[in-house]
Coordinates of all heavy atoms in Angstrom, one line a residue:
A1290 N 25.9 120.4 91.2 CA 25.1 121.6 90.9 C 25.9 122.7 90.2 O 25.4 123.6 89.6 CB 24.6 122.3 92.2
L1291 N 27.3 122.5 90.1 CA 28.1 123.4 89.4 C 28.3 123.0 87.9 O 28.8 123.9 87.2 CB 29.5 123.4 90.1 CG 29.5 123.8 91.6 CD1 30.9 123.7 92.2 CD2 28.9 125.1 91.8
V1292 N 27.9 121.8 87.6 CA 28.1 121.4 86.2 C 26.9 121.9 85.3 O 25.8 121.7 85.7 CB 28.2 119.9 86.1 CG1 28.4 119.4 84.6 CG2 29.4 119.4 87.0
R1293 N 27.2 122.5 84.2 CA 26.1 123.0 83.4 C 25.2 121.9 82.9 O 25.7 120.8 82.6 CB 26.7 123.7 82.1 CG 25.7 124.5 81.3 CD 26.4 125.2 80.2 NE 27.0 124.3 79.2 CZ 26.4 123.8 78.2 NH1 25.2 124.1 77.9 NH2 27.1 123.0 77.4
S1294 N 23.9 122.2 82.9 CA 22.9 121.2 82.5 C 23.3 120.6 81.1 O 23.5 121.3 80.2 CB 21.5 121.8 82.4 OG 20.6 120.8 82.0
G1295 N 23.3 119.3 81.1 CA 23.7 118.6 79.8 C 25.1 118.2 79.7 O 25.5 117.5 78.8
A1296 N 26.0 118.8 80.5 CA 27.4 118.5 80.5 C 27.8 117.5 81.5 O 27.1 117.2 82.4 CB 28.2 119.8 80.7
E1297 N 29.0 116.9 81.3 CA 29.5 115.8 82.2 C 30.4 116.4 83.3 O 30.6 115.8 84.3 CB 30.1 114.7 81.4 CG 29.2 114.0 80.5 CD 29.9 112.8 79.8 OE1 31.1 112.7 79.9 OE2 29.2 112.1 79.1
Q1298 N 31.1 117.5 83.0 CA 32.0 118.1 84.0 C 32.2 119.5 83.7 O 31.8 120.0 82.6 CB 33.4 117.4 83.9 CG 34.1 117.6 82.6 CD 35.5 117.0 82.6 OE1 35.9 116.3 83.5 NE2 36.3 117.4 81.5
F1299 N 32.7 120.3 84.7 CA 33.1 121.6 84.4 C 34.6 121.7 84.5 O 35.3 120.9 85.2 CB 32.5 122.6 85.4 CG 33.0 122.5 86.8 CD1 34.2 123.1 87.3 CD2 32.2 121.8 87.8 CE1 34.6 123.0 88.6 CE2 32.6 121.7 89.1 CZ 33.9 122.3 89.5
V1300 N 35.2 122.7 83.8 CA 36.6 122.9 83.8 C 36.9 124.4 84.0 O 36.3 125.2 83.3 CB 37.3 122.4 82.5 CG1 38.8 122.7 82.6 CG2 37.1 120.9 82.3
L1301 N 37.8 124.7 85.0 CA 38.2 126.1 85.2 C 39.7 126.1 85.0 O 40.4 125.3 85.5 CB 37.9 126.5 86.6 CG 36.4 126.4 87.1 CD1 36.3 126.8 88.5 CD2 35.5 127.3 86.2
F1302 N 40.2 127.2 84.3 CA 41.6 127.3 84.1 C 41.9 128.8 84.3 O 41.2 129.7 83.9 CB 42.0 126.9 82.7 CG 43.4 127.2 82.3 CD1 44.4 126.4 82.8 CD2 43.7 128.4 81.6 CE1 45.7 126.7 82.5 CE2 45.1 128.7 81.3 CZ 46.1 127.8 81.7
G1303 N 43.0 129.0 85.0 CA 43.5 130.4 85.3 C 45.0 130.5 85.2 O 45.7 129.5 85.2
E1304 N 45.4 131.7 85.0 CA 46.9 132.0 85.0 C 47.1 133.1 86.1 O 46.5 134.2 86.0 CB 47.4 132.5 83.7 CG 47.4 131.4 82.6 CD 48.0 131.8 81.3 OE1 48.0 133.1 81.1 OE2 48.5 131.0 80.6
V1305 N 48.0 132.8 87.0 CA 48.3 133.7 88.1 C 49.7 134.3 87.7 O 50.7 133.5 87.6 CB 48.4 133.1 89.5 CG1 48.8 134.0 90.5 CG2 47.0 132.5 89.8
E1306 N 49.8 135.6 87.7 CA 51.0 136.3 87.3 C 51.8 136.6 88.6 O 51.3 137.3 89.5 CB 50.8 137.5 86.5 CG 52.1 138.2 86.0 CD 51.7 139.3 85.0 OE1 51.1 140.3 85.5 OE2 52.1 139.2 83.9
R1307 N 53.0 136.1 88.7 CA 53.9 136.5 89.8 C 55.0 137.4 89.3 O 55.0 137.8 88.1 CB 54.5 135.2 90.4 CG 53.4 134.3 91.1 CD 52.9 135.1 92.3 NE 51.8 134.3 93.0 CZ 52.1 133.5 94.1 NH1 53.3 133.3 94.5 NH2 51.1 132.9 94.7
A1308 N 56.0 137.7 90.1 CA 57.0 138.7 89.7 C 57.7 138.4 88.4 O 57.9 139.3 87.6 CB 58.0 138.8 90.8
D1309 N 58.0 137.1 88.1 CA 58.8 136.8 87.0 C 58.2 135.6 86.1 O 58.9 135.1 85.2 CB 60.2 136.4 87.4 CG 60.3 135.2 88.3 OD1 59.2 134.8 88.8 OD2 61.4 134.7 88.6
R1310 N 57.0 135.2 86.4 CA 56.4 134.1 85.7 C 54.9 134.0 85.8 O 54.3 134.8 86.7 CB 57.0 132.8 86.2 CG 56.6 132.5 87.7 CD 57.4 131.4 88.3 NE 57.0 130.9 89.6 CZ 57.1 131.5 90.7 NH1 57.7 132.7 90.7 NH2 56.7 131.0 91.8
R1311 N 54.3 133.2 85.0 CA 52.8 132.9 85.1 C 52.6 131.5 85.6 O 53.3 130.6 85.0 CB 52.1 133.2 83.8 CG 51.9 134.7 83.6 CD 50.8 134.9 82.5 NE 50.6 136.4 82.3 CZ 49.5 136.9 81.7 NH1 48.6 136.0 81.2 NH2 49.4 138.1 81.5
I1312 N 51.8 131.3 86.5 CA 51.5 129.9 87.0 C 50.1 129.5 86.6 O 49.1 130.2 86.8 CB 51.6 129.9 88.6 CG1 53.0 130.4 89.0 CG2 51.3 128.5 89.1 CD1 53.1 130.5 90.5
A1313 N 50.0 128.4 85.9 CA 48.8 127.8 85.4 C 48.1 127.1 86.6 O 48.7 126.3 87.3 CB 49.0 126.9 84.2
V1314 N 46.8 127.3 86.7 CA 46.0 126.7 87.8 C 44.7 126.2 87.1 O 44.0 126.9 86.4 CB 45.6 127.7 88.9 CG1 44.8 127.0 90.0 CG2 46.8 128.3 89.5
G1315 N 44.4 124.9 87.3 CA 43.2 124.3 86.8 C 42.5 123.5 87.8 O 43.0 122.8 88.6
V1316 N 41.1 123.5 87.6 CA 40.3 122.8 88.5 C 39.2 122.2 87.6 O 38.6 122.9 86.8 CB 39.6 123.6 89.6 CG1 38.6 122.8 90.4 CG2 40.7 124.2 90.5
E1317 N 38.9 120.9 87.8 CA 37.8 120.3 87.1 C 36.9 119.5 88.1 O 37.5 118.9 89.1 CB 38.3 119.4 85.9 CG 39.1 118.2 86.4 CD 39.5 117.3 85.2 OE1 39.9 117.9 84.1 OE2 39.5 116.1 85.3
G1318 N 35.6 119.4 87.8 CA 34.7 118.7 88.7 C 33.8 117.8 87.9 O 33.3 118.2 86.9
A1319 N 33.8 116.6 88.3 CA 32.9 115.6 87.7 C 32.7 114.4 88.7 O 33.5 114.1 89.5 CB 33.6 115.0 86.4
D1320 N 31.5 113.8 88.6 CA 31.1 112.7 89.4 C 31.3 112.9 90.9 O 31.8 112.1 91.7 CB 32.0 111.4 89.0 CG 31.8 111.1 87.6 OD1 30.6 111.2 87.1 OD2 32.8 110.7 86.9
G1321 N 31.0 114.2 91.3 CA 31.1 114.5 92.7 C 32.6 114.7 93.2 O 32.8 114.8 94.5
R1322 N 33.5 114.7 92.4 CA 34.9 114.9 92.8 C 35.6 116.1 92.1 O 35.2 116.4 91.0 CB 35.7 113.6 92.4 CG 35.3 112.4 93.2 CD 36.2 111.2 92.8 NE 36.1 110.9 91.4 CZ 36.9 110.1 90.7 NH1 37.9 109.5 91.4 NH2 36.7 109.8 89.5
L1323 N 36.5 116.7 92.8 CA 37.2 117.8 92.4 C 38.7 117.5 92.2 O 39.3 116.9 93.1 CB 37.1 119.0 93.4 CG 37.1 120.4 92.8 CD1 36.0 120.7 91.9 CD2 37.1 121.4 94.0
R1324 N 39.3 117.8 91.1 CA 40.7 117.6 90.8 C 41.3 118.9 90.4 O 40.7 119.7 89.7 CB 40.9 116.6 89.7 CG 40.4 115.2 90.1 CD 40.5 114.2 88.9 NE 39.4 114.6 88.0 CZ 38.1 114.1 88.1 NH1 37.8 113.4 89.1 NH2 37.2 114.5 87.2

């Protein structure tokens, strides 16, 4: 239900800023699985 109609998967990408660095965080969902 989270995948846009007509698409095969969704992808989320974020950057979390900590005191001295940025940490990349990514989540993708397809075929009922989350990675």
Side-chain angles (χ1 to χ4, degrees):
L1291 305 178
V1292 181
R1293 190 175 65 89
S1294 178
E1297 295 183 355
Q1298 67 174 7
F1299 69 80
V1300 178
L1301 305 176
F1302 174 80
E1304 288 184 340
V1305 178
E1306 188 173 62
R1307 292 295 180 91
D1309 58 353
R1310 66 195 189 282
R1311 285 198 177 193
I1312 302 173
V1314 182
V1316 175
E1317 63 179 40
D1320 302 322
R1322 293 182 300 167
L1323 207 63
R1324 293 171 290 275

